[in-house]
Amino acid sequence: MRILVTGGLGALGTVLVKELRQRGHEVWACDLHHNHDRFYVRCDISKFRQIQNLISSHRFNYVYHLAAESGRSNGEDYYENLWMANVVGTKNLLRLQDNYRFRMVFLSSSEVYGDWPDIMSEDVMDKNEVKQLNDFAMTKWISEIQVLNHSRMANTETVRIRLFNTYGPGEYYSPYRGVICRFAWSALHDLPYEVYLNHHRTFTHLTDTARTLANIPDNFKPGEVYNIGGREYHNIKYLSDLILGYLRKPDDLVIYKESEPFTTMDKKIDIGKAERDLDHKPLITLEEGIPQTLNWMKEIYKETLSCPESASSFPTTTTPGTSQKQLIM
Amino acid sequence: MRILVTGGLGALGTVLVKELRQRGHEVWACDLHHNHDRFYVRCDISKFRQIQNLISSHRFNYVYHLAAESGRSNGEDYYENLWMANVVGTKNLLRLQDNYRFRMVFLSSSEVYGDWPDIMSEDVMDKNEVKQLNDFAMTKWISEIQVLNHSRMANTETVRIRLFNTYGPGEYYSPYRGVICRFAWSALHDLPYEVYLNHHRTFTHLTDTARTLANIPDNFKPGEVYNIGGREYHNIKYLSDLILGYLRKPDDLVIYKESEPFTTMDKKIDIGKAERDLDHKPLITLEEGIPQTLNWMKEIYKETLSCPESASSFPTTTTPGTSQKQLIM
């Protein structure tokens, strides 16, 4: 099959492209930058002409739509980019889907569950009013509704996926990254970081996530939505302890705080549906995935690690009016 | 008081600015175009620098935020503009509100009620999961949540207003306008138009709406949300009959259809809260407002009326992939 992965240079995109190619598909990728890959096209999905060029030049059977401005903190600081990429970008793809009839896999986020206090099963939002807590969450929820409205109006076929804290080698550090990436970076570079004691999350390794995503065409059910996450449920301090334990470092630089305001305390996830339909299997434990990630980081960042100033001089961004800096995840 | 009206050149903005000035306020307006008014500033609210310039140059006590890409059909055809103006634009204002602490009146729409089949009272979305049916509706709902999130995080003070079919003199025709404006235009120019028999709506005259909006500072309750609409509830054919009646024209050119897909059939509204808190009074009946609107149109469009070709040659826009043309309202 011919498949396009938007956001194909991202942490998850890279692994997914590889996985799909290993299964024998012709896999194209697009992302914001130029790249050497023969099956890669530079494309900003928020620019209709660019994505139209790409889609109309090939007959894709599937489009995995991963391209997005990600993360709450990033969404607050770069909200113009967020709304253009996530909502206008997805709308562009949906319009093209009307004409070119590819099947789509849309990557959403667990953030759509807002502050839902109970088990996050896929139908929560069909039964309950959930208000999203930040702009990033809103873009993902809105795009899900755009997908549903388009499917209804134009009979397009799309599956939605809600990711829960995916991590692993390939996630390059920035202050906007997920909690494992940020803790690992800080611990490696002996920089202080904050740990909120009352938050719990599940974590999924990139490899496990990509394998499940690659399974979707084997049992494609248009209109369905799936949680993809882990089975284990950890508090944030456990993560930090694991990282420091592998690095044999004390927790002197860790700033412990009770809980973070305006953030979901706990995310309890139901992954039964993805296990049944998509053969989702969270195989890699944190105890395996974290040292693997640390080793990858040590290799990638050997320069900043040998010269600590270059890491610590990386400024902690602060924007007037934003109180959402240094979020826990 | 010093007041800013964004979208101050629009049909409602124009009437609101006048009303507020009559009450003795110093009223500034901004909109996309240049204008002669001494208290007018050209400003695209989706461009942060432009709106920041305006806000930082004056100490506004109130900002009435009316500027928006309006209407479902317009939102489908111009979705890039829609998301930038409505969501990024509102976000820009909210960020500025954090710093400049003006009180805000945010103009939302009855479209946020989606296909809610029952009485649309303000708390429907607090108790029920409602999915918005189109991008325009989504931008309005999203902005309401942005307002709520910001109020919670930065203690800003905003009142939200949900408008139900406002009409009247000053609404210049385009195919994206409200139903009264479109029917009136078509009937005046002997052009065919579609009437959906099974849709019901309430209508509010611009003057009634503007008076209620101008009352808000007299009893400003931060965090509140109000429906502003009429008390009467009409089917769409009644509207058409009224218009044709005043013009003494037959309904030969009217194309009657049962109902329009993907559109709210009925909008039943509860306006009790606005009546209690904001002294909302829908005084102008359709039987008064429609001939007034027709007379204004006859005056404004005397050129196209004397030369029918110039009206009928106005193309009916059609965009590939859009099935939402010529919506009923």
Side-chain angles (χ1 to χ4, degrees), chain A residues 54-298:
Chain A
L54 172 54
I55 297 277
S56 65
S57 308
H58 307 277
R59 249 203 118 64
F60 295 115
N61 304 102
Y62 281 84
V63 173
Y64 283 85
H65 180 30
L66 278 61
E69 289 286 332
S70 250
R72 292 181 302 149
S73 205
N74 178 55
E76 289 300 318
D77 280 359
Y78 302 99
Y79 57 82
E80 307 89 341
N81 308 50
L82 176 84
W83 287 98
M84 284 306 289
N86 295 17
V87 174
V88 173
T90 301
K91 185 87 179 174
N92 285 340
L93 262 168
L94 289 168
R95 279 286 167 84
L96 291 164
Q97 193 186 20
D98 290 353
N99 290 336
Y100 294 95
R101 314 305 298 176
F102 49 84
R103 284 177 159 183
M104 183 147 78
V105 178
F106 172 69
L107 271 284
S108 182
S109 160
S110 64
E111 283 286 302
V112 299
Y113 292 109
D115 56 356
W116 181 247
D118 214 332
I119 300 284
M120 293 168 173
S121 52
E122 286 89 346
D123 58 356
V124 159
M125 260 85 66
D126 297 328
K127 298 174 182 167
N128 307 279
E129 167 57 15
V130 172
K131 288 199 176 63
Q132 283 72 40
L133 298 170
N134 57 77
D135 278 40
F136 169 65
M138 288 189 237
T139 62
K140 286 299 177 184
W141 178 234
I142 279 303
S143 293
E144 287 202 30
I145 304 181
Q146 288 178 317
V147 162
L148 292 173
N149 285 347
H150 263 259
S151 303
R152 212 155 44 97
M153 289 192 283
N155 291 315
T156 49
E157 299 189 328
T158 301
V159 157
R160 290 165 289 145
I161 297 292
R162 296 177 186 150
L163 293 186
F164 284 70
N165 295 298
T166 302
Y167 79 99
E171 204 187 350
Y172 289 84
Y173 171 77
S174 90
Y176 299 100
R177 279 293 185 183
V179 64
I180 291 181
C181 180
R182 286 187 291 107
F183 285 5
W185 167 270
S186 299
L188 277 166
H189 291 86
D190 297 316
L191 293 167
Y193 61 95
E194 290 181 351
V195 170
Y196 291 96
L197 297 168
N198 297 323
H199 292 257
H200 296 77
R201 295 289 187 271
T202 65
F203 297 90
T204 335
H205 194 280
L206 286 165
T207 308
D208 286 335
T209 306
R211 190 181 53 252
T212 302
L213 291 176
N215 292 342
I216 294 175
D218 299 340
N219 189 26
F220 190 86
K221 297 185 176 177
E224 285 296 346
V225 51
Y226 301 97
N227 290 332
I228 295 190
R231 251 188 240 100
E232 293 168 8
Y233 189 63
H234 299 288
N235 77 17
I236 301 302
K237 183 171 184 306
Y238 177 73
L239 273 187
S240 170
D241 291 347
L242 261 187
I243 290 168
L244 293 170
Y246 288 116
L247 298 176
R248 299 177 194 212
K249 291 191 178 182
D251 69 348
D252 305 8
L253 289 167
V254 178
I255 303 148
Y256 293 106
K257 296 203 169 174
E258 283 306 303
S259 68
E260 190 189 25
F262 312 119
T263 316
T264 317
M265 292 282 284
D266 296 336
K267 287 189 179 181
K268 301 188 202 85
I269 173 181
D270 174 4
I271 56 168
K273 202 170 154 188
E275 291 180 318
R276 284 189 302 276
D277 281 10
L278 307 178
D279 199 22
H280 175 54
K281 287 194 195 100
L283 298 175
I284 303 175
T285 61
L286 275 184
E287 293 73 13
E288 197 180 342
I290 281 190
Q292 196 193 61
T293 304
L294 287 168
N295 287 337
W296 174 82
M297 272 201 166
K298 281 182 191 166

Side-chain angles (χ1 to χ4, degrees), chain A residues 46 48 75-77 79-80 83-84 87-88 91-93 95 98-99 115 124-135 138-139 141-143 145-146 148-150 152-154 262 319-324, chain B residues 46 48 75-77 79-80 83-84 87-88 91-93 95 98-99 115 124-135 138-139 141-143 145-146 148-150 152-154 262 319-324:
Chain A
S46 74
F48 187 77
E76 289 300 318
D77 280 359
Y79 57 82
E80 307 89 341
W83 287 98
M84 284 306 289
V87 174
V88 173
K91 185 87 179 174
N92 285 340
L93 262 168
R95 279 286 167 84
D98 290 353
N99 290 336
D115 56 356
V124 159
M125 260 85 66
D126 297 328
K127 298 174 182 167
N128 307 279
E129 167 57 15
V130 172
K131 288 199 176 63
Q132 283 72 40
L133 298 170
N134 57 77
D135 278 40
M138 288 189 237
T139 62
W141 178 234
I142 279 303
S143 293
I145 304 181
Q146 288 178 317
L148 292 173
N149 285 347
H150 263 259
R152 212 155 44 97
M153 289 192 283
F262 312 119
T319 312
T322 311
S323 51
Q324 297 216 323
Chain B
S46 74
F48 187 77
E76 289 301 318
D77 281 359
Y79 57 80
E80 307 90 341
W83 287 98
M84 283 307 287
V87 175
V88 172
K91 186 88 179 173
N92 285 340
L93 261 168
R95 280 286 166 84
D98 290 354
N99 290 336
D115 56 356
V124 159
M125 260 84 68
D126 297 329
K127 297 174 181 168
N128 306 279
E129 167 56 17
V130 171
K131 288 200 176 64
Q132 284 71 41
L133 299 170
N134 57 77
D135 278 39
M138 288 189 237
T139 63
W141 177 234
I142 279 304
S143 293
I145 305 181
Q146 289 179 316
L148 292 173
N149 285 346
H150 263 259
R152 213 156 43 99
M153 289 192 282
F262 312 119
T319 312
T322 310
S323 52
Q324 297 215 322

